[in-house]
Amino acid sequence: GNISNDDQFVALLGRQGAATFLMVYNIAQNTIVSTLDLGGRWPDWASMSQSGNYVVVSWEPDGSSRYQGIEIYDRNLTFVRQIDPQSSHGDLGYNQAGQEVYVSMADGYYPGATVRSVRLDGGGVTVLIDDTPGFRSGHISCRNIDRPGWCYFSSYTTTTGMIGYDEVFALKVDASNTVERFGHVHRTNTLGYDAQPHASANRDGTKVMFASDWNM
């Protein structure tokens, strides 16, 4: 997970014997803000939102009505809502209206979309890329924190034959379908996790770094 943009708050996961915990730590004041007992469960990841107002937790489904999918907590670790019952890859950022969002692959869960943004305040879902042409595999980064309202997407073809297109581009976080292409072909075969491009921009979004095995 990421720390808040002001470098003040971070979400941490910890174990003590069989017990598991989620906590919010104030870096500037060297204090624990809040702690949540996870009852032995261990999520895939947890992160502060960019504002530091929310903690986002990604769970693998366990069959319960809670502790699965993508969940939102406030800074005091009070449960707010589940924004996605299915955990999918994504990142936390801002949309063009300045509202905090989780931008993610739809993974077949949200009809008509392959990339979407979900507002953390419960304000709804925006389709950023629909299912035509149908990007099915990719990585999303919103670490361009000095250029809010955009995310950076690296698509790739998987070994299962799904459409990937092997491109790196910036995607405007609204319904305009606006893209800025940074790389038409990243030349990686993505046969292993370390070979996936995982593109990430610098703070102002003018440059992008990505991995490639050059089809070796």
Side-chain angles (χ1 to χ4, degrees):
N2 296 308
I3 62 177
S4 57
N5 287 355
D6 61 5
D7 295 337
Q8 186 168 2
F9 298 105
V10 61
L12 300 172
L13 293 164
R15 295 182 186 272
Q16 188 175 35
T20 54
F21 301 89
L22 172 64
M23 66 180 69
V24 174
Y25 177 68
N26 187 318
I27 301 170
Q29 297 179 6
N30 191 27
T31 57
I32 295 174
V33 178
S34 52
T35 303
L36 178 66
D37 186 344
L38 299 179
R41 298 178 176 90
W42 191 256
D44 186 29
W45 55 261
S47 179
M48 295 301 300
S49 69
Q50 292 194 19
S51 70
N53 293 329
Y54 297 100
V55 177
V56 180
V57 181
S58 175
W59 297 93
E60 295 298 330
D62 67 357
S64 67
S65 59
R66 284 280 310 283
Y67 300 109
Q68 60 182 345
I70 307 297
E71 292 188 342
I72 307 298
Y73 298 78
D74 65 19
R75 193 187 303 163
N76 294 318
L77 292 179
T78 300
F79 177 72
V80 177
R81 65 178 57 84
Q82 182 193 79
I83 62 171
D84 193 337
Q86 175 174 299
S87 178
S88 58
H89 171 75
D91 200 7
L92 297 161
Y94 286 94
N95 62 17
Q96 288 287 319
Q99 298 149 335
E100 288 199 281
V101 293
Y102 178 64
V103 183
S104 69
M105 300 294 295
D107 285 346
Y109 174 75
Y110 191 81
T114 55
V115 180
R116 58 183 175 155
S117 70
V118 184
R119 282 173 51 179
L120 302 190
D121 63 6
V125 177
T126 299
V127 174
L128 306 184
I129 299 178
D130 63 22
D131 55 5
T132 304
F135 292 87
R136 298 298 185 208
S137 300
H139 179 270
I140 296 165
S141 174
C142 300
R143 299 312 298 158
N144 45 292
I145 61 177
D146 290 339
R147 194 198 188 194
W150 293 79
C151 67
Y152 287 73
F153 186 73
S154 45
S155 65
Y156 48 85
T157 304
T158 67
T159 55
T160 57
M162 293 186 293
I163 299 172
Y165 296 102
D166 298 344
E167 296 189 32
V168 176
F169 56 90
L171 176 62
K172 206 169 187 179
V173 186
D174 60 14
S176 67
N177 302 126
T178 302
V179 302
E180 294 177 346
R181 178 173 287 165
F182 280 78
H184 178 56
V185 180
H186 48 62
R187 294 183 174 87
T188 182
N189 60 31
T190 66
L191 293 180
Y193 183 81
D194 290 339
Q196 294 175 7
H198 292 179
S200 183
N202 61 351
R203 287 174 64 109
D204 64 11
T206 58
K207 298 178 178 67
V208 175
M209 179 172 65
F210 60 91
S212 177
D213 64 2
W214 214 249
N215 284 318
M216 299 297 290

